[in-house]
Amino acid sequence: MKLLTDLDAIRTLTQGRLDNRKITGESPDSIRFRSVMVCGGTGCTSSDSNQIIAKLNQEIAGHGIQEQVEVVRTGCFGLCELGPVVIVYPEGIFYSRVEVQDIPKLVEAHLLHGKPYEKKIYEKTKQDGETLNFEETEFYKKQVRIALHNCGVIDPENIDEYIGSDGYQALGKVLKTMGRQEVIDTIKQSGLRGRGGGGFNTGLKWEFAAKQDKKQKYVICNADEGDPGAFMDRSILEGNPHSVIEAMAIAGYAIGSSQGFIYVRAEYPIAVQRFVKALAQAREYGLLGDNILGTGFCFNIDVRLGAGAFVCGEETALIHSVEGHRGMPTPKPPFPAVQGLWEQPTIINNVETLANVAQIILKGAAWYAGIGTEKSKGTKVFALGGKVVNTGLVEVPMGITLREVIFEIGGGIPGGKKFKAVQTGGPSGGCLTEEHLDCSIDFDTLTSLGSMMGSGGMIIMDEDTCMVDVARFYLDFTRDESCGKCTPCRIGTKRLLELLDKITEGKGSMEDLEKLENLSVQIKNASLCALGQTAPNPVLSTIKYFREEYMAHIVDKKCPAGVCKSLISYQIDSDLCRGCSLCAKKCPTDAISGEMKEPFVIDTAVCIKCGVCFDVCKFKAVAIV
Amino acid sequence: MKQQPISNSGGVAEADEKLMKVQAAISQFKMIQGALIPVLHEIQDIYGYLPEPVLQIVSAELHLPMSEIYGVASFYHFFSLTPKGENVVHVCLGTACYIKGAQGVLDRLSTELKVPVQGTTEDNKFTLEATRCLGACGLAPVMTIGEKVHGRLVPNNIPKILKEYN
């Protein structure tokens, strides 16, 4: 078992190593030691970052410079679009889309001779013949990293590095110097609200559970990130797993619990593996288990794997799943804080919520409450995706505008296309338009506009996205994920989907549009849990802001964005076609025919509208009509 | 309790070895509350799906009726009650991938493999599945075949990628 003094000793030892991973602005000649950070998040691992690390180590050993270089596999840097990403300190050089075959030259140029390897330097860091450090780029400048603070800086599989960056200091402070109520008051005063979607005050939730006079209570971490297109929780578990463990132990102390569970998606193998490893290390150091830090406090954490059910993000459904049953919600009250897992008082906090806790304890409630807006404190992590230049993970202060996130940090829309909508809150949220771009991002503003904060998915859509099809996509999701317990959600979402299918197939009537609206309101009001209560949001918000697109589908039988297959057909413009036959060769159904060097034609009876001809034509001769 | 060998497993020795792993998993979790889902995860890991004869063992050992086990197994997308092909193709239909044209990729796979979504090819080589967000949104649209991730796809990539597995 380690004591606080042991942690201090480890911190002193590792701090020197972590100090190397900072941008210093030294002249290249005087640099004696470099840190090469390679992203080991799911995105970059998918594009071979592990092989890059192996090659780096091999080349570095080949040159005999192991003493002057360290290679670290870290969590996500955020800019997934450019993966695999490699960052070299102390210059802060950002390499993007690195491939294994780049490594020998990169090592020789940069690590041996001190000259950055030009070919793979991120374009946006090059300015007037100079290379900026990555923190000066638009993507990073406006970000404030609290929940993601160690991601990309430490090796998540090394507990000493977490301790070196003040890890487990907050737990030590809580156990040694703070009373239970004092911890709860600190979290309450910080204004921290649940990041999983609900936005409930975290300290208040803890207080409800703390007041229950029961011997057994539970702390559950909800890591069943179900919003398709959101991956902040996964990145935190992959990049800084100990921050979640530490926060769960603090929560356990505050409410009087000795047992925690993390409910994590089985579809996240890297996150699960790193978290399990972190648990073992924490147990080995006595930071979990009996008599933590010699204070007499006992706390354990067990892992439960989710099995792919979106509804399990709902608290009561999650509890039933941990109990081994079908994950179906039950009415509240009783709230889980009063009667939860195995009928004992239980708090359920989302991963990102927990990742803020240790920092709040260390830096104080006033510090955290000083960031953000009046009612939404701190920062929020968003997963930017869809039609945006910088796909990836960003953490920004609450109150920032959508425009800043999408156009400054996100770099705007690729390919010179026009922005159409942004979808926040996943299947429970809504689509916002150009007129909302200058609105503040916080819990209450987003809700008042008909969307919601949700867990932090932010999907950008351009002029080529059909909003009716998007609504149909989300309803297909919620219909599939409805647990089936209550009628409004089970049957209502199916009926909504049928109506949307009808409209996207060009068979809709004005009456259907009215039915959509009425049914949506009924489902919202009558469903048992948040899944059903929010499922109609994508329909209602798209009807509200993009009514003319619905009208085009219903009245004109046209899909303005050219997405809905029943309403479009492909044609070859005989003036533009050069008769190269490429489209005919690529057509999977042999629907295109013609003579070489003469205009080709598409047989619409055979065409399956897959769009391959449109994509491959070099002369823009294929048109959607 | 004696059980018949399970479909598409190897020889008798391999079948026995798998059953031993199942027994080990059951003993590991038997004493904890809520053991059923962790046990099902292990079985799915061992066989790639949940064979009915194995679920009978679970039923006896955990004292749970088959109806309840079926209820749980069929509730969660992650569990499958039918065997899968040699290579499982997961096409991500998360929002980021969908907006970037994942449906076209899925349709093309379905045409090339001549199976509907959730179908397995006749030669048992491929099972085609649509899945929720794989979390590699930076590579959208994305699919995985086995462990391998294929990103930034257009439908025209599909025939060439499938050839790698033939």
Side-chain angles (χ1 to χ4, degrees), chain A residues 81 228 234 304 307-308 321 323 325-327 342 386 469 472 474 477 480-481 616, chain B residues 32-34 37 41 71 75-78 93 95 98-100 107 132-133 135 152 156:
Chain A
E81 179 70 29
R234 191 202 70 214
R304 288 289 181 277
S321 185
E323 288 170 346
H325 307 300
R326 287 163 74 94
W342 292 300
D469 181 60
R472 196 203 58 79
Y474 279 117
F477 179 88
D480 194 30
E481 294 294 344
V616 297
Chain B
I32 67 162
Q33 282 178 294
I37 292 176
H41 269 294
F75 183 82
Y76 296 97
H77 293 296
F78 197 79
L93 278 194
T95 320
Y98 186 78
I99 297 290
K100 286 194 167 178
D107 291 346
R132 302 296 179 219
C133 190
R152 298 185 181 115
N156 259 359

mmCIF file of all heavy atoms in Angstrom, chain A residues 81 228 234 304 307-308 321 323 325-327 342 386 469 472 474 477 480-481 616, chain B residues 32-34 37 41 71 75-78 93 95 98-100 107 132-133 135 152 156:
data_model
loop_
_atom_site.group_PDB
_atom_site.id
_atom_site.type_symbol
_atom_site.label_atom_id
_atom_site.label_comp_id
_atom_site.label_asym_id
_atom_site.label_seq_id
_atom_site.Cartn_x
_atom_site.Cartn_y
_atom_site.Cartn_z
ATOM 1 N N GLU A 81 -8.945 13.695 -37.988
ATOM 2 C CA GLU A 81 -8.959 13.801 -39.439
ATOM 3 C C GLU A 81 -7.559 13.575 -40.017
ATOM 4 O O GLU A 81 -7.401 13.071 -41.119
ATOM 5 C CB GLU A 81 -9.457 15.207 -39.808
ATOM 6 C CG GLU A 81 -9.512 15.523 -41.278
ATOM 7 C CD GLU A 81 -10.610 14.753 -42.002
ATOM 8 O OE1 GLU A 81 -11.609 14.437 -41.362
ATOM 9 O OE2 GLU A 81 -10.442 14.473 -43.204
ATOM 10 N N PRO A 228 -24.482 7.781 -31.836
ATOM 11 C CA PRO A 228 -23.633 7.416 -32.968
ATOM 12 C C PRO A 228 -22.945 8.668 -33.493
ATOM 13 O O PRO A 228 -23.590 9.535 -34.035
ATOM 14 C CB PRO A 228 -24.628 6.868 -33.987
ATOM 15 C CG PRO A 228 -25.933 7.498 -33.634
ATOM 16 C CD PRO A 228 -25.913 7.777 -32.169
ATOM 17 N N ARG A 234 -14.963 7.572 -24.808
ATOM 18 C CA ARG A 234 -13.968 6.586 -25.201
ATOM 19 C C ARG A 234 -12.564 7.191 -25.161
ATOM 20 O O ARG A 234 -11.622 6.588 -24.656
ATOM 21 C CB ARG A 234 -14.261 6.096 -26.620
ATOM 22 C CG ARG A 234 -13.460 4.892 -27.011
ATOM 23 C CD ARG A 234 -13.361 4.759 -28.513
ATOM 24 N NE ARG A 234 -12.531 5.808 -29.051
ATOM 25 C CZ ARG A 234 -12.724 6.387 -30.231
ATOM 26 N NH1 ARG A 234 -13.733 6.033 -30.974
ATOM 27 N NH2 ARG A 234 -11.915 7.326 -30.639
ATOM 28 N N ARG A 304 -18.332 -3.836 -15.954
ATOM 29 C CA ARG A 304 -19.428 -4.553 -16.608
ATOM 30 C C ARG A 304 -19.475 -4.083 -18.055
ATOM 31 O O ARG A 304 -19.489 -2.881 -18.314
ATOM 32 C CB ARG A 304 -20.769 -4.234 -15.943
ATOM 33 C CG ARG A 304 -20.930 -4.870 -14.583
ATOM 34 C CD ARG A 304 -21.122 -6.387 -14.672
ATOM 35 N NE ARG A 304 -21.302 -6.966 -13.363
ATOM 36 C CZ ARG A 304 -20.304 -7.292 -12.549
ATOM 37 N NH1 ARG A 304 -19.053 -7.097 -12.921
ATOM 38 N NH2 ARG A 304 -20.532 -7.805 -11.367
ATOM 39 N N ALA A 307 -23.751 -4.250 -23.968
ATOM 40 C CA ALA A 307 -23.873 -5.203 -25.067
ATOM 41 C C ALA A 307 -24.650 -4.604 -26.223
ATOM 42 O O ALA A 307 -25.353 -5.291 -26.939
ATOM 43 C CB ALA A 307 -24.510 -6.497 -24.574
ATOM 44 N N GLY A 308 -24.491 -3.290 -26.395
ATOM 45 C CA GLY A 308 -25.077 -2.673 -27.575
ATOM 46 C C GLY A 308 -26.545 -2.387 -27.451
ATOM 47 O O GLY A 308 -27.355 -2.942 -28.184
ATOM 48 N N SER A 321 -29.433 -3.528 -16.524
ATOM 49 C CA SER A 321 -28.452 -4.263 -17.310
ATOM 50 C C SER A 321 -27.306 -4.755 -16.421
ATOM 51 O O SER A 321 -26.852 -5.886 -16.551
ATOM 52 C CB SER A 321 -27.925 -3.379 -18.442
ATOM 53 O OG SER A 321 -27.064 -4.107 -19.266
ATOM 54 N N GLU A 323 -27.598 -5.467 -13.414
ATOM 55 C CA GLU A 323 -28.181 -6.555 -12.617
ATOM 56 C C GLU A 323 -28.314 -7.840 -13.420
ATOM 57 O O GLU A 323 -28.665 -8.884 -12.878
ATOM 58 C CB GLU A 323 -29.567 -6.130 -12.099
ATOM 59 C CG GLU A 323 -29.494 -5.073 -10.998
ATOM 60 C CD GLU A 323 -30.856 -4.488 -10.654
ATOM 61 O OE1 GLU A 323 -31.813 -4.687 -11.434
ATOM 62 O OE2 GLU A 323 -30.962 -3.833 -9.603
ATOM 63 N N HIS A 325 -30.203 -8.138 -16.386
ATOM 64 C CA HIS A 325 -31.488 -8.279 -17.067
ATOM 65 C C HIS A 325 -31.514 -7.529 -18.391
ATOM 66 O O HIS A 325 -30.556 -6.860 -18.749
ATOM 67 C CB HIS A 325 -32.616 -7.741 -16.172
ATOM 68 C CG HIS A 325 -32.629 -8.327 -14.811
ATOM 69 N ND1 HIS A 325 -32.769 -9.671 -14.591
ATOM 70 C CD2 HIS A 325 -32.498 -7.755 -13.588
ATOM 71 C CE1 HIS A 325 -32.741 -9.900 -13.286
ATOM 72 N NE2 HIS A 325 -32.561 -8.759 -12.660
ATOM 73 N N ARG A 326 -32.658 -7.600 -19.068
ATOM 74 C CA ARG A 326 -32.876 -6.736 -20.231
ATOM 75 C C ARG A 326 -32.827 -5.295 -19.746
ATOM 76 O O ARG A 326 -33.353 -4.971 -18.686
ATOM 77 C CB ARG A 326 -34.279 -7.001 -20.820
ATOM 78 C CG ARG A 326 -34.418 -8.307 -21.551
ATOM 79 C CD ARG A 326 -35.877 -8.680 -21.724
ATOM 80 N NE ARG A 326 -36.567 -7.877 -22.735
ATOM 81 C CZ ARG A 326 -36.695 -8.249 -24.003
ATOM 82 N NH1 ARG A 326 -36.170 -9.383 -24.412
ATOM 83 N NH2 ARG A 326 -37.340 -7.491 -24.862
ATOM 84 N N GLY A 327 -32.170 -4.446 -20.539
ATOM 85 C CA GLY A 327 -32.025 -3.055 -20.102
ATOM 86 C C GLY A 327 -33.248 -2.226 -20.396
ATOM 87 O O GLY A 327 -33.270 -1.437 -21.333
ATOM 88 N N TRP A 342 -29.663 -3.020 -7.230
ATOM 89 C CA TRP A 342 -30.113 -3.951 -6.200
ATOM 90 C C TRP A 342 -30.832 -3.216 -5.070
ATOM 91 O O TRP A 342 -30.627 -3.469 -3.889
ATOM 92 C CB TRP A 342 -28.930 -4.795 -5.687
ATOM 93 C CG TRP A 342 -28.447 -5.716 -6.758
ATOM 94 C CD1 TRP A 342 -29.160 -6.692 -7.396
ATOM 95 C CD2 TRP A 342 -27.149 -5.727 -7.391
ATOM 96 N NE1 TRP A 342 -28.394 -7.292 -8.360
ATOM 97 C CE2 TRP A 342 -27.159 -6.737 -8.372
ATOM 98 C CE3 TRP A 342 -25.977 -4.982 -7.200
ATOM 99 C CZ2 TRP A 342 -26.062 -7.017 -9.176
ATOM 100 C CZ3 TRP A 342 -24.882 -5.259 -7.998
ATOM 101 C CH2 TRP A 342 -24.929 -6.273 -8.972
ATOM 102 N N GLY A 386 -18.866 14.628 -39.618
ATOM 103 C CA GLY A 386 -19.662 14.943 -40.803
ATOM 104 C C GLY A 386 -18.884 15.818 -41.762
ATOM 105 O O GLY A 386 -17.682 15.636 -41.935
ATOM 106 N N ASP A 469 -34.036 13.088 -45.045
ATOM 107 C CA ASP A 469 -33.320 11.817 -44.931
ATOM 108 C C ASP A 469 -32.607 11.713 -43.590
ATOM 109 O O ASP A 469 -32.534 10.641 -42.994
ATOM 110 C CB ASP A 469 -32.316 11.702 -46.091
ATOM 111 C CG ASP A 469 -31.553 10.390 -46.058
ATOM 112 O OD1 ASP A 469 -32.211 9.345 -46.142
ATOM 113 O OD2 ASP A 469 -30.317 10.414 -45.923
ATOM 114 N N ARG A 472 -35.100 10.796 -41.082
ATOM 115 C CA ARG A 472 -35.421 9.377 -41.293
ATOM 116 C C ARG A 472 -34.322 8.489 -40.694
ATOM 117 O O ARG A 472 -34.579 7.496 -40.035
ATOM 118 C CB ARG A 472 -35.555 9.104 -42.786
ATOM 119 C CG ARG A 472 -36.244 7.780 -43.129
ATOM 120 C CD ARG A 472 -35.872 7.291 -44.513
ATOM 121 N NE ARG A 472 -34.417 7.127 -44.621
ATOM 122 C CZ ARG A 472 -33.755 6.087 -44.143
ATOM 123 N NH1 ARG A 472 -34.386 5.110 -43.555
ATOM 124 N NH2 ARG A 472 -32.437 6.027 -44.247
ATOM 125 N N TYR A 474 -32.308 9.168 -38.166
ATOM 126 C CA TYR A 474 -32.384 9.136 -36.698
ATOM 127 C C TYR A 474 -33.580 8.323 -36.211
ATOM 128 O O TYR A 474 -33.496 7.617 -35.206
ATOM 129 C CB TYR A 474 -32.446 10.555 -36.127
ATOM 130 C CG TYR A 474 -31.082 11.191 -36.046
ATOM 131 C CD1 TYR A 474 -30.760 12.328 -36.764
ATOM 132 C CD2 TYR A 474 -30.075 10.630 -35.234
ATOM 133 C CE1 TYR A 474 -29.494 12.899 -36.700
ATOM 134 C CE2 TYR A 474 -28.826 11.187 -35.170
ATOM 135 C CZ TYR A 474 -28.527 12.324 -35.888
ATOM 136 O OH TYR A 474 -27.285 12.871 -35.822
ATOM 137 N N PHE A 477 -32.861 4.796 -36.276
ATOM 138 C CA PHE A 477 -32.045 4.460 -35.108
ATOM 139 C C PHE A 477 -32.902 4.302 -33.858
ATOM 140 O O PHE A 477 -32.843 3.280 -33.170
ATOM 141 C CB PHE A 477 -30.991 5.561 -34.901
ATOM 142 C CG PHE A 477 -30.098 5.344 -33.712
ATOM 143 C CD1 PHE A 477 -28.935 4.603 -33.827
ATOM 144 C CD2 PHE A 477 -30.401 5.901 -32.469
ATOM 145 C CE1 PHE A 477 -28.103 4.406 -32.732
ATOM 146 C CE2 PHE A 477 -29.585 5.699 -31.372
ATOM 147 C CZ PHE A 477 -28.417 4.947 -31.508
ATOM 148 N N ASP A 480 -35.182 1.315 -33.875
ATOM 149 C CA ASP A 480 -34.430 0.087 -33.651
ATOM 150 C C ASP A 480 -34.030 -0.051 -32.176
ATOM 151 O O ASP A 480 -33.984 -1.142 -31.631
ATOM 152 C CB ASP A 480 -33.176 0.141 -34.532
ATOM 153 C CG ASP A 480 -32.508 -1.199 -34.640
ATOM 154 O OD1 ASP A 480 -33.228 -2.214 -34.567
ATOM 155 O OD2 ASP A 480 -31.281 -1.239 -34.793
ATOM 156 N N GLU A 481 -33.738 1.066 -31.532
ATOM 157 C CA GLU A 481 -33.224 1.035 -30.163
ATOM 158 C C GLU A 481 -34.310 1.126 -29.103
ATOM 159 O O GLU A 481 -34.029 0.985 -27.919
ATOM 160 C CB GLU A 481 -32.208 2.164 -29.950
ATOM 161 C CG GLU A 481 -30.923 2.025 -30.768
ATOM 162 C CD GLU A 481 -30.081 0.817 -30.356
ATOM 163 O OE1 GLU A 481 -30.313 0.271 -29.256
ATOM 164 O OE2 GLU A 481 -29.195 0.433 -31.132
ATOM 165 N N VAL A 616 -17.238 8.735 -60.659
ATOM 166 C CA VAL A 616 -16.029 8.462 -61.444
ATOM 167 C C VAL A 616 -15.860 9.386 -62.658
ATOM 168 O O VAL A 616 -14.758 9.529 -63.173
ATOM 169 C CB VAL A 616 -15.953 6.998 -61.944
ATOM 170 C CG1 VAL A 616 -15.889 6.037 -60.774
ATOM 171 C CG2 VAL A 616 -17.092 6.655 -62.883
ATOM 172 N N ILE B 32 -21.135 -13.947 -8.479
ATOM 173 C CA ILE B 32 -21.466 -12.521 -8.445
ATOM 174 C C ILE B 32 -22.920 -12.302 -8.827
ATOM 175 O O ILE B 32 -23.522 -13.100 -9.540
ATOM 176 C CB ILE B 32 -20.551 -11.674 -9.357
ATOM 177 C CG1 ILE B 32 -20.787 -11.986 -10.842
ATOM 178 C CG2 ILE B 32 -19.090 -11.844 -8.989
ATOM 179 C CD1 ILE B 32 -20.267 -10.913 -11.754
ATOM 180 N N GLN B 33 -23.453 -11.192 -8.366
ATOM 181 C CA GLN B 33 -24.814 -10.824 -8.755
ATOM 182 C C GLN B 33 -24.787 -10.352 -10.205
ATOM 183 O O GLN B 33 -23.840 -9.688 -10.620
ATOM 184 C CB GLN B 33 -25.312 -9.685 -7.871
ATOM 185 C CG GLN B 33 -25.758 -10.121 -6.492
ATOM 186 C CD GLN B 33 -26.191 -8.921 -5.672
ATOM 187 O OE1 GLN B 33 -25.386 -8.071 -5.336
ATOM 188 N NE2 GLN B 33 -27.475 -8.861 -5.347
ATOM 189 N N GLY B 34 -25.817 -10.679 -10.935
ATOM 190 C CA GLY B 34 -25.882 -10.225 -12.327
ATOM 191 C C GLY B 34 -24.897 -10.948 -13.207
ATOM 192 O O GLY B 34 -24.277 -10.347 -14.083
ATOM 193 N N ILE B 37 -25.006 -11.659 -17.975
ATOM 194 C CA ILE B 37 -24.447 -10.933 -19.112
ATOM 195 C C ILE B 37 -22.930 -11.162 -19.242
ATOM 196 O O ILE B 37 -22.447 -11.444 -20.346
ATOM 197 C CB ILE B 37 -24.850 -9.440 -19.059
ATOM 198 C CG1 ILE B 37 -26.363 -9.347 -19.295
ATOM 199 C CG2 ILE B 37 -24.103 -8.618 -20.109
ATOM 200 C CD1 ILE B 37 -26.954 -7.968 -19.183
ATOM 201 N N HIS B 41 -21.134 -12.819 -22.564
ATOM 202 C CA HIS B 41 -20.001 -12.201 -23.261
ATOM 203 C C HIS B 41 -18.888 -13.226 -23.499
ATOM 204 O O HIS B 41 -18.301 -13.295 -24.570
ATOM 205 C CB HIS B 41 -19.432 -11.031 -22.443
ATOM 206 C CG HIS B 41 -20.055 -9.708 -22.781
ATOM 207 N ND1 HIS B 41 -19.908 -9.108 -24.008
ATOM 208 C CD2 HIS B 41 -20.827 -8.871 -22.043
ATOM 209 C CE1 HIS B 41 -20.562 -7.944 -24.012
ATOM 210 N NE2 HIS B 41 -21.132 -7.780 -22.833
ATOM 211 N N GLY B 71 -34.504 -13.964 -23.472
ATOM 212 C CA GLY B 71 -34.932 -12.565 -23.373
ATOM 213 C C GLY B 71 -33.746 -11.621 -23.351
ATOM 214 O O GLY B 71 -33.720 -10.604 -24.044
ATOM 215 N N PHE B 75 -32.193 -9.220 -26.537
ATOM 216 C CA PHE B 75 -32.385 -7.789 -26.290
ATOM 217 C C PHE B 75 -31.190 -6.974 -26.792
ATOM 218 O O PHE B 75 -31.342 -5.881 -27.312
ATOM 219 C CB PHE B 75 -32.569 -7.546 -24.790
ATOM 220 C CG PHE B 75 -32.852 -6.115 -24.434
ATOM 221 C CD1 PHE B 75 -34.140 -5.609 -24.544
ATOM 222 C CD2 PHE B 75 -31.846 -5.268 -24.001
ATOM 223 C CE1 PHE B 75 -34.411 -4.281 -24.222
ATOM 224 C CE2 PHE B 75 -32.116 -3.943 -23.681
ATOM 225 C CZ PHE B 75 -33.404 -3.453 -23.787
ATOM 226 N N TYR B 76 -29.995 -7.529 -26.615
ATOM 227 C CA TYR B 76 -28.778 -6.755 -26.898
ATOM 228 C C TYR B 76 -28.230 -7.072 -28.291
ATOM 229 O O TYR B 76 -28.081 -8.236 -28.657
ATOM 230 C CB TYR B 76 -27.715 -7.063 -25.835
ATOM 231 C CG TYR B 76 -28.118 -6.630 -24.447
ATOM 232 C CD1 TYR B 76 -28.681 -7.537 -23.553
ATOM 233 C CD2 TYR B 76 -27.954 -5.316 -24.043
ATOM 234 C CE1 TYR B 76 -29.058 -7.137 -22.273
ATOM 235 C CE2 TYR B 76 -28.327 -4.911 -22.764
ATOM 236 C CZ TYR B 76 -28.884 -5.820 -21.889
ATOM 237 O OH TYR B 76 -29.248 -5.416 -20.629
ATOM 238 N N HIS B 77 -27.904 -5.999 -29.043
ATOM 239 C CA HIS B 77 -27.387 -6.162 -30.405
ATOM 240 C C HIS B 77 -26.091 -6.962 -30.461
ATOM 241 O O HIS B 77 -25.785 -7.606 -31.453
ATOM 242 C CB HIS B 77 -27.079 -4.795 -31.023
ATOM 243 C CG HIS B 77 -28.291 -3.974 -31.258
ATOM 244 N ND1 HIS B 77 -29.268 -4.350 -32.149
ATOM 245 C CD2 HIS B 77 -28.709 -2.800 -30.734
ATOM 246 C CE1 HIS B 77 -30.228 -3.431 -32.148
ATOM 247 N NE2 HIS B 77 -29.909 -2.488 -31.299
ATOM 248 N N PHE B 78 -25.302 -6.853 -29.390
ATOM 249 C CA PHE B 78 -23.970 -7.447 -29.415
ATOM 250 C C PHE B 78 -24.025 -8.971 -29.462
ATOM 251 O O PHE B 78 -23.124 -9.613 -29.964
ATOM 252 C CB PHE B 78 -23.205 -6.982 -28.161
ATOM 253 C CG PHE B 78 -21.729 -7.169 -28.248
ATOM 254 C CD1 PHE B 78 -20.944 -6.273 -28.967
ATOM 255 C CD2 PHE B 78 -21.101 -8.232 -27.605
ATOM 256 C CE1 PHE B 78 -19.578 -6.424 -29.053
ATOM 257 C CE2 PHE B 78 -19.725 -8.389 -27.690
ATOM 258 C CZ PHE B 78 -18.960 -7.484 -28.414
ATOM 259 N N LEU B 93 -22.699 2.667 -39.391
ATOM 260 C CA LEU B 93 -23.801 3.543 -39.775
ATOM 261 C C LEU B 93 -24.039 4.584 -38.684
ATOM 262 O O LEU B 93 -25.170 4.965 -38.394
ATOM 263 C CB LEU B 93 -25.082 2.747 -40.039
ATOM 264 C CG LEU B 93 -25.236 2.093 -41.416
ATOM 265 C CD1 LEU B 93 -26.665 1.652 -41.626
ATOM 266 C CD2 LEU B 93 -24.828 3.004 -42.559
ATOM 267 N N THR B 95 -23.716 8.463 -37.289
ATOM 268 C CA THR B 95 -24.143 9.648 -38.027
ATOM 269 C C THR B 95 -23.038 10.204 -38.925
ATOM 270 O O THR B 95 -23.268 10.550 -40.078
ATOM 271 C CB THR B 95 -24.605 10.746 -37.062
ATOM 272 O OG1 THR B 95 -25.331 10.120 -36.024
ATOM 273 C CG2 THR B 95 -25.475 11.744 -37.758
ATOM 274 N N TYR B 98 -22.705 8.075 -41.889
ATOM 275 C CA TYR B 98 -23.913 8.125 -42.726
ATOM 276 C C TYR B 98 -23.910 9.375 -43.586
ATOM 277 O O TYR B 98 -24.173 9.329 -44.792
ATOM 278 C CB TYR B 98 -25.178 8.078 -41.857
ATOM 279 C CG TYR B 98 -26.449 7.989 -42.674
ATOM 280 C CD1 TYR B 98 -26.840 6.778 -43.231
ATOM 281 C CD2 TYR B 98 -27.235 9.110 -42.914
ATOM 282 C CE1 TYR B 98 -27.989 6.684 -44.002
ATOM 283 C CE2 TYR B 98 -28.382 9.029 -43.678
ATOM 284 C CZ TYR B 98 -28.762 7.813 -44.217
ATOM 285 O OH TYR B 98 -29.894 7.723 -44.983
ATOM 286 N N ILE B 99 -23.576 10.508 -42.955
ATOM 287 C CA ILE B 99 -23.565 11.793 -43.674
ATOM 288 C C ILE B 99 -22.523 11.744 -44.792
ATOM 289 O O ILE B 99 -22.650 12.409 -45.800
ATOM 290 C CB ILE B 99 -23.250 12.941 -42.680
ATOM 291 C CG1 ILE B 99 -24.328 13.055 -41.617
ATOM 292 C CG2 ILE B 99 -23.050 14.273 -43.386
ATOM 293 C CD1 ILE B 99 -25.652 13.555 -42.087
ATOM 294 N N LYS B 100 -21.473 10.951 -44.581
ATOM 295 C CA LYS B 100 -20.422 10.877 -45.596
ATOM 296 C C LYS B 100 -20.599 9.696 -46.552
ATOM 297 O O LYS B 100 -19.650 9.282 -47.209
ATOM 298 C CB LYS B 100 -19.054 10.829 -44.910
ATOM 299 C CG LYS B 100 -18.635 12.183 -44.343
ATOM 300 C CD LYS B 100 -17.174 12.188 -43.989
ATOM 301 C CE LYS B 100 -16.667 13.609 -43.737
ATOM 302 N NZ LYS B 100 -15.256 13.594 -43.343
ATOM 303 N N ASP B 107 -24.716 -0.628 -49.388
ATOM 304 C CA ASP B 107 -25.476 -1.140 -50.535
ATOM 305 C C ASP B 107 -24.558 -1.880 -51.503
ATOM 306 O O ASP B 107 -24.911 -2.941 -52.024
ATOM 307 C CB ASP B 107 -26.167 0.009 -51.276
ATOM 308 C CG ASP B 107 -27.289 0.628 -50.450
ATOM 309 O OD1 ASP B 107 -27.677 0.002 -49.447
ATOM 310 O OD2 ASP B 107 -27.759 1.732 -50.798
ATOM 311 N N ARG B 132 -23.463 0.367 -35.185
ATOM 312 C CA ARG B 132 -23.433 1.731 -34.647
ATOM 313 C C ARG B 132 -22.006 2.222 -34.627
ATOM 314 O O ARG B 132 -21.080 1.461 -34.811
ATOM 315 C CB ARG B 132 -24.003 1.748 -33.222
ATOM 316 C CG ARG B 132 -25.396 1.231 -33.124
ATOM 317 C CD ARG B 132 -26.356 2.097 -33.883
ATOM 318 N NE ARG B 132 -27.697 1.554 -33.802
ATOM 319 C CZ ARG B 132 -28.546 1.557 -34.817
ATOM 320 N NH1 ARG B 132 -28.187 2.025 -35.986
ATOM 321 N NH2 ARG B 132 -29.753 1.080 -34.665
ATOM 322 N N CYS B 133 -21.858 3.480 -34.306
ATOM 323 C CA CYS B 133 -20.556 4.164 -34.361
ATOM 324 C C CYS B 133 -19.383 3.309 -33.881
ATOM 325 O O CYS B 133 -19.380 2.784 -32.785
ATOM 326 C CB CYS B 133 -20.623 5.425 -33.514
ATOM 327 S SG CYS B 133 -19.204 6.487 -33.732
ATOM 328 N N GLY B 135 -16.485 4.690 -33.784
ATOM 329 C CA GLY B 135 -15.651 5.689 -33.119
ATOM 330 C C GLY B 135 -14.449 6.138 -33.911
ATOM 331 O O GLY B 135 -13.580 6.811 -33.396
ATOM 332 N N ARG B 152 -12.176 5.908 -45.004
ATOM 333 C CA ARG B 152 -12.310 6.845 -46.130
ATOM 334 C C ARG B 152 -12.756 6.116 -47.398
ATOM 335 O O ARG B 152 -12.139 6.204 -48.448
ATOM 336 C CB ARG B 152 -10.999 7.587 -46.354
ATOM 337 C CG ARG B 152 -10.604 8.422 -45.139
ATOM 338 C CD ARG B 152 -9.378 9.274 -45.320
ATOM 339 N NE ARG B 152 -9.084 9.995 -44.096
ATOM 340 C CZ ARG B 152 -7.980 9.807 -43.350
ATOM 341 N NH1 ARG B 152 -7.061 8.955 -43.737
ATOM 342 N NH2 ARG B 152 -7.803 10.474 -42.233
ATOM 343 N N ASN B 156 -16.748 2.265 -54.764
ATOM 344 C CA ASN B 156 -15.875 1.631 -55.743
ATOM 345 C C ASN B 156 -14.667 0.904 -55.154
ATOM 346 O O ASN B 156 -14.028 0.118 -55.830
ATOM 347 C CB ASN B 156 -15.377 2.682 -56.732
ATOM 348 C CG ASN B 156 -16.163 2.609 -58.020
ATOM 349 O OD1 ASN B 156 -17.043 1.769 -58.147
ATOM 350 N ND2 ASN B 156 -15.846 3.478 -58.952
#
